[in-house]
């Protein structure tokens, strides 16, 4: 290097044969291509590049990443495992939504402790279609379907699909169902020890008393319900114990029927009068008049010929579906259908009492508001089924599925705050899975009060769910999922319930 004022050190050293090393000239590196380029808020003004003429009115919020996940709908709740019936799409996450109530109970991370399901929605919002699709899809996992009373005969198509003939009940029809049937509990008594026989008898008597309480308590005198208190229960129990041979120490129990029970109370013998601690026969007859008249409804009233003899239908419990069609009862009124549903409830329960472990069923009660209207005793019977749905002593354990319209269905059983209304409200809380289809604002507000849904869930029910049949907010424990049930064309045909309307169009 030459100094501006003379020769530099490098020249001097080169005079003596030494060359200083030179710095290599810098090589220019090629510039990397830009991965991102800034695009204005209106987008690129090219075809298909999302250009907008005006900026959308977007509200800006600032929050920490801790608060952001609470913002709906950007982040959906934790998903459910892909087990059970695939129902459709969870629209918040876009993923498939699978329903598996028993599977959910078995997993600790899902806040569900029973496999009871309540569906609610305005008429025509797709409650029954979702029910049928669920039940149908669960058959692939070994479940069988039991429809405990089908007031509109709408499950018949599903039965025919499985090659099963539904059982039709109605005036003039040959089928009889004995609500006091022993069911499978009638078998195998010879293998039971004394104490086992006694505990089995207790199960049977409790079920019968519940039924009689429901039937009697559903009848009215003016605007009062016929009472069924401890006296009535004691009389019915004593009569049943004598009719079945239990009082005489006989086991197995002899099956009896409602007319026999009614006759035993209508023409009481002296032993029964004495056992029930009445002074004389006349007092017995006076005190049990309402009870006898209420029971008489099943023997000679509107429901005569339906529940007043031994069961004469041979139910194939191994068939994939069993359904009892009740549309022929509709001319007799809602109350008659309600009583029939109650009797079937008891009967179905008896049939499930000794179901072997692993015999899984979806037990469907559609149009359950008809039972609700029958009063507190009828609701109690349903309540019991819900409480026992997890199974008893390792047996049973069904998916109990109930369809209603609105929460006040459950509250028509009594005045606000009454025991009946409380039981009905509790019933809602006994179902850990609630499927809420579209509702009007007033009903959504009722649901909000009962279940603490909050504004977003309430809006989903009154807005989004009302826009399409099959849309519903699935409450799985405390978690909410916006689910759209998708039907296969074959299922659409099986679930079609608009024939009457089509005919009118
Ligand atoms: N997810 C769906 N996709 C397409 N069609 C549907 C869907 N859900 C229901 N539907 C159709 O809508 C009609 C009414 O449905 P559904 O009978 O299930 O209503 P509902 O709520 O049970 O009414 P109701 O209270 O009167 O019993 C049916 O014909 C059914 O096929
Ligand atoms: Mg329906």
């Amino acid at each position: 290097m030459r100094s501006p004022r003379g020769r530099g050190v490098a020249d001097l050293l080169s005079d003596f044969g030494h060359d200083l090393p030179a710095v290599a000239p810098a090589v220019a590196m090629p510039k990397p291509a830009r991965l991102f380029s800034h695009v204005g808020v209106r987008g690129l003004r090219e075809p298909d590049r999302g250009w907008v003429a005006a900026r959308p009115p977007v509200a800006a919020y600032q929050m920490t990443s801790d608060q952001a996940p609470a913002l709906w709908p950007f982040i959906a709740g934790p998903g459910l495992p892909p087990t059970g019936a695939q129902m459709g799409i969870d629209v918040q996450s876009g993923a498939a939504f699978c329903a598996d109530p028993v599977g959910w109970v078995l997993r600790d991370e899902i806040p569900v402790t029973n496999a009871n399901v309540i569906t609610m929605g305005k008429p025509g919002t797709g409650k029954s279609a979702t029910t049928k699709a669920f039940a149908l899809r669960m058959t692939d996992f070994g479940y069988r379907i039991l429809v405990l009373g089908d007031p509109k005969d709408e499950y018949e198509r599903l039965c025919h699909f499985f090659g099963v003939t539904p059982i039709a009940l109605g005036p003039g029809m040959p089928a009889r169902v004995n609500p006091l049937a022993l069911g499978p509990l009638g078998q195998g008594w010879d293998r039971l020890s004394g104490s086992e026989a006694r505990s089995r008898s207790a199960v049977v008597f409790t079920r019968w008393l519940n039924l009689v309480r429901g039937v009697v308590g559903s009848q009215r005198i003016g605007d009062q319900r016929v009472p069924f208190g401890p006296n009535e229960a004691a009389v019915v129990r004593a009569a049943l114990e004598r009719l079945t041979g239990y009082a005489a120490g006989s086991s197995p129990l002899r099956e009896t029927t409602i007319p026999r029970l009614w006759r035993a109370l209508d023409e009481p013998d002296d032993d029964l009068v004495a056992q029930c601690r009445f002074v004389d026969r006349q007092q017995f007859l006076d005190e049990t008049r309402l009870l006898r008249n209420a029971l008489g409804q099943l023997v000679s009233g509107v429901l005569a010929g339906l529940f007043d003899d031994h069961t004469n239908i041979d139910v194939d419990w191994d068939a994939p579906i069993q359904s009892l069609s009740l549309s022929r009862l509709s001319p007799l009124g809602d109350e008659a259908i309600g009583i029939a549903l109650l009797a079937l409830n008891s009967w179905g329960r008896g049939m499930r009492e000794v179901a072997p472990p692993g015999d899984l069923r979806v037990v469907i009660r559609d149009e359950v508001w008809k039972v609700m209207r029958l009063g507190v005793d009828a609701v109690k019977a349903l309540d019991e089924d819900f409480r026992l749905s997890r199974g008893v002593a390792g047996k049973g354990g069904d998916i109990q599925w109930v369809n209603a319209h609105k929460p006040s269905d459950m509250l028509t059983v009594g005045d606000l705050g009454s025991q009946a209304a409380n039981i009905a409200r509790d019933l809602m809380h006994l179902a850990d899975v609630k499927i809420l289809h579209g509702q009007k604002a007033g009903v959504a507000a009722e649901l909000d009060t009962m279940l603490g849904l909050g504004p977003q869930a309430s809006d989903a029910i009154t807005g989004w769910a009302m826009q399409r049949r099959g849309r519903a907010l699935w409450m799985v424990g405390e978690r909410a999922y916006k689910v759209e049930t998708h039907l296969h064309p074959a299922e659409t045909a099986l679930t079609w319930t608009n024939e009457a309307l089509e005919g009118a169009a």
Side-chain angles (χ1 to χ4, degrees), residues 127-129 152 154 366-367 403 497:
K127 298 180 295 297
S128 302
K152 295 187 191 162
E154 56 180 304
D366 212 332
E367 311 277 325
N403 288 354
T497 55

